Amino acid sequence: MKINQIIREKRKELSLTQEQIADFLGVSTPAVNKWEKGSTYPDITLLPALARLFKIDLNTLMSFNDNLTDIEVKNFIDEVDQTVREQGYDAAFQKAISKIHEYPTCENLIYSAILYLEGALALYSVPENPQYWKTYETFYKRLATSENPEVRDTATSMLISYARNRSDFSRAEELINALPFSVIDKEEQTAILYQQREQYQDAEKIWEHRILKGVTQIQTALINMLETALQEKRQKDADFFADMYEAVTRQFCFPEWMRYNAHLQLALVKKDKDKSLSVLQKMLPAMNKEWNAQDYQLYRNVNASSSTFFSGKLAKTITDELTDNEEYAFLRGCSEFEELMAQLES
C-alpha cells in the first residue's frame, strides 16, 4: 500500500476530514487532497506529526514494513498451520495476529491469515471462543473496503454470514443490498479475449476455475435444498437432492469421498443406523485417498495441491464427532461401528 492510500485509509478509520488533517498540520486542504490522490507527497518534516495523528509509526506510514511478498505470506501460513498441529490453535492465533500487527497494511497477509484461521476452527475441532469470532469480524470489516474485488467480496460474504448466524437479519439484508451489481462478467470476457488472442492455456485456466466454482455452487445449493426438504418433511425431494448431489460430484471428477456427503447428512438426520454406517464405511476410507486436480482433463491447468491432508484431517474431525457427540449416540455400541473406528485408527 502506497503512502497516499495509507493517508486516506487512516483518515477514514479515525473519521477525520481533509480539513481537520490540514488544520492539524498547518497546511491547506487542497494539499491534503493531493496527498491522497498521490499527485504530491507530504514534506518530510510533516511525517512525524502525521504518524502521531494517525497513531502509527513512521515505518508503517512510509510502508517500510508494509508488504510481504506472496511467497512470504504463503510460507507464513504454512508456519501457522504447523503451529496449530504442534502447539494448538490459540498459539497459532496469537502468532498470526502478532504478524498482522507487524505488517498492519499488508492486505494479502491479513486476508490469507484470517481465512486460514477461520477454516482451521472447524478443521481442528477448536472449542468455541467468542474472542476469535470478534477478532475475525473486525478484520473482515476492514477487508470489505478493499480495492481488490475478490478480497472485498469474500470479506463481505463472511460479514453476511456472521450477521445471519447471530440472527441479525436486517444487517445481513443491508449488506446484501449494498453489493455491487454488474451485468458484465469480467472473467468470462477475459477468457473469450484470451481465446481470440490464441492464449489457449490462459483461457483454459479461467474456464476450469469456473467449472470448479460452478460445481461447488451447485453442491451448496443442493445441500440447502435437501435441508429445506427435510424441514418441510418432503422425504422424496430430500432423497432426490441427495442422489443429484452424488451424481454431480461424480460426473465432475471431485474427490470420491465428497459424493457421499449428502447421503450421510440425510441418513444422520433420519437416524438411520444401517444407512449411516453403510455410507461411512465408503466415505471415511475414501478420505485418505490422494486426489490431484491436475490428474483430470477438466482441471489440467488448475493450480491446486493434493487434497489428501485436508480430507484426512476432516476424517479425523468426523470420527471424533461420531465418537463423542451425543447426537450420534444411536450409531455406537454395535460391532460394525466399532470395527470401522478400529480400521480407521489402524
Side-chain angles (χ1 to χ4, degrees), residues 152-172:
R152 182 179 64 242
D153 292 350
T154 301
T156 302
S157 175
M158 295 305 298
L159 289 174
I160 292 170
S161 176
Y162 275 41
R164 285 201 309 259
N165 290 341
R166 60 171 172 262
S167 299
D168 188 354
F169 301 123
S170 60
R171 176 56 180 162

Side-chain angles (χ1 to χ4, degrees), residues 43-245:
D43 187 277
I44 192 170
T45 60
L46 297 174
L47 295 179
L50 189 57
R52 287 194 295 272
L53 175 62
F54 289 152
K55 301 176 183 177
I56 57 177
D57 58 34
L58 279 173
N59 284 339
T60 301
L61 179 62
M62 298 298 292
S63 305
F64 290 146
N65 60 343
D66 176 29
N67 287 324
L68 297 170
T69 64
D70 289 346
I71 190 64
E72 286 177 320
V73 171
K74 179 185 181 302
N75 289 340
F76 177 70
I77 299 304
D78 290 341
E79 290 178 21
V80 173
D81 181 68
Q82 185 175 354
T83 302
V84 174
R85 287 180 274 133
E86 296 179 353
Q87 302 175 38
Y89 186 88
D90 194 64
F93 173 83
Q94 299 298 337
K95 183 185 186 79
I97 298 304
S98 176
K99 193 75 167 181
I100 290 173
H101 288 160
E102 184 180 352
Y103 296 90
T105 58
C106 184
E107 185 173 88
N108 187 25
L109 171 65
I110 299 171
Y111 179 67
S112 301
I114 298 306
L115 280 183
Y116 169 80
L117 290 170
E118 176 102 39
L121 283 171
L123 184 60
Y124 291 96
S125 303
V126 180
E128 289 191 14
N129 184 334
Q131 178 194 358
Y132 298 146
W133 303 113
K134 184 178 180 180
T135 301
Y136 303 153
E137 186 168 14
T138 298
F139 282 114
Y140 284 134
K141 287 178 180 177
R142 178 174 169 184
L143 293 170
T145 64
S146 170
E147 295 179 0
N148 182 321
E150 179 182 352
V151 172
R152 182 179 64 242
D153 292 350
T154 301
T156 302
S157 175
M158 295 305 298
L159 289 174
I160 292 170
S161 176
Y162 275 41
R164 285 201 309 259
N165 290 341
R166 60 171 172 262
S167 299
D168 188 354
F169 301 123
S170 60
R171 176 56 180 162
E173 186 174 16
E174 180 184 338
L175 288 165
I176 291 170
N177 290 336
L179 291 171
F181 173 79
S182 174
V183 296
I184 299 175
D185 188 324
K186 180 179 177 181
E187 190 177 51
E188 179 181 292
Q189 294 298 320
T190 302
I192 294 171
L193 176 63
Y194 284 155
Q195 285 179 223
Q196 292 175 337
R197 285 180 175 174
E198 299 184 1
Q199 295 174 244
Y200 298 125
Q201 188 172 12
D202 291 330
E204 273 200 345
K205 284 181 181 179
I206 294 177
W207 295 128
E208 290 173 6
H209 175 262
R210 286 175 74 90
I211 290 173
L212 280 171
K213 182 179 179 181
V215 175
T216 302
Q217 289 173 336
I218 291 171
Q219 289 173 319
T220 301
L222 287 169
I223 286 292
N224 279 280
M225 292 168 77
L226 183 153
E227 290 176 354
T228 300
L230 287 173
Q231 289 166 355
E232 296 183 342
K233 303 188 185 307
R234 294 183 284 115
Q235 188 59 52
K236 286 186 178 180
D237 287 344
D239 292 337
F240 172 79
F241 296 140
D243 289 341
M244 185 61 68
Y245 182 101

Side-chain angles (χ1 to χ4, degrees), residues 239-290:
D239 292 337
F240 172 79
F241 296 140
D243 289 341
M244 185 61 68
Y245 182 101
E246 179 177 353
V248 168
T249 305
R250 184 191 302 270
Q251 189 69 34
F252 283 90
C253 308
F254 272 42
E256 179 187 340
W257 65 269
M258 285 188 181
R259 67 184 67 158
Y260 306 115
N261 273 346
H263 281 297
L264 177 62
Q265 181 170 333
L266 192 57
L268 291 174
V269 169
K270 293 164 64 177
K271 296 193 180 300
D272 185 332
K273 183 176 183 179
D274 291 338
K275 181 65 174 177
S276 297
L277 288 170
S278 174
V279 174
L280 286 167
Q281 285 168 348
K282 292 180 286 187
M283 178 179 179
L284 292 176
M287 297 179 88
N288 289 316
K289 294 181 180 178
E290 186 171 353

